[in-house]
Amino acid sequence: MHQGKSSLGPEAQEDHAYTFAGGPNVKVRLGVVPANGGQITWMDLFCGYEDEEYLAKVKGMHGNILTAHVLNRSHSKLKILKIDIKTGQSNVLLVEEHDTWVNLHDCFIPLDKGLNRTNGAFIWASEKTGFKHVYLHDTNGVCLGPITQGDWMVEQVAGVNEVTGLV
């Protein structure tokens, strides 16, 4: 809420859905509850780094794993955390960093079959070359190489066929 009009009373109130520049960020938590009920397991969202970070996205992976996409306040550094939903413990899977801005996107694609038929590999898009391209990563977040490359950009991934190896 913000008093921004010169009038008085309830009509003078302005409601905003976002923190004003320089204001404190909202503190968020992420918890997982079993489908059949029970205790909440709280996820470690910031891997020990709680300095003004935003929870941007949450995605599920195989094997009781969540990924949380967490940005710093200036949106210049994105960390993807791999979180065990049974314990709530997290570790940094991938870091994307740019001098000015990291663009959020929906191109984090967990693979069903993974590498050598093990779950946990994923596809990720990055603008690290100046153009948005997709890359294959292993279970630990290590980049195994580009899937696409060149002086053009990937707008979106329409689908993945792991059996034929096509994106």
Side-chain angles (χ1 to χ4, degrees), residues 78-96:
L78 172 71
K79 289 184 279 191
I80 299 179
L81 304 179
K82 185 176 180 181
I83 309 171
D84 183 324
I85 64 170
K86 291 186 179 202
T87 66
Q89 293 183 352
S90 67
N91 63 316
V92 177
L93 185 60
L94 181 119
V95 176
E96 187 81 19

Side-chain angles (χ1 to χ4, degrees), residues 14 27 31 34 54 61 63 69 85 94 99 112 132 134 144 159:
E14 293 179 3
K27 299 293 183 189
Y54 296 105
M61 289 183 77
H69 300 210
I85 64 170
L94 181 119
D99 293 337
D112 287 332
K132 182 176 161 188
V134 290
L144 300 175

Side-chain angles (χ1 to χ4, degrees), residues 18-20 22-28 51-54 72-73:
Y18 202 74
T19 305
F20 281 102
N25 289 332
V26 175
K27 299 293 183 189
V28 298
D51 298 346
E52 304 180 294
E53 305 234 13
Y54 296 105
N72 65 351
R73 184 167 178 116

Side-chain angles (χ1 to χ4, degrees), residues 11 14 16 18 39 44 68 94 103 108 120 122 153 162 166:
E11 65 278 355
E14 293 179 3
H16 300 272
Y18 202 74
Q39 294 291 343
D44 175 14
L94 181 119
N103 287 311
F108 178 88
F122 60 94
M153 93 180 209
E162 292 185 59
L166 295 175

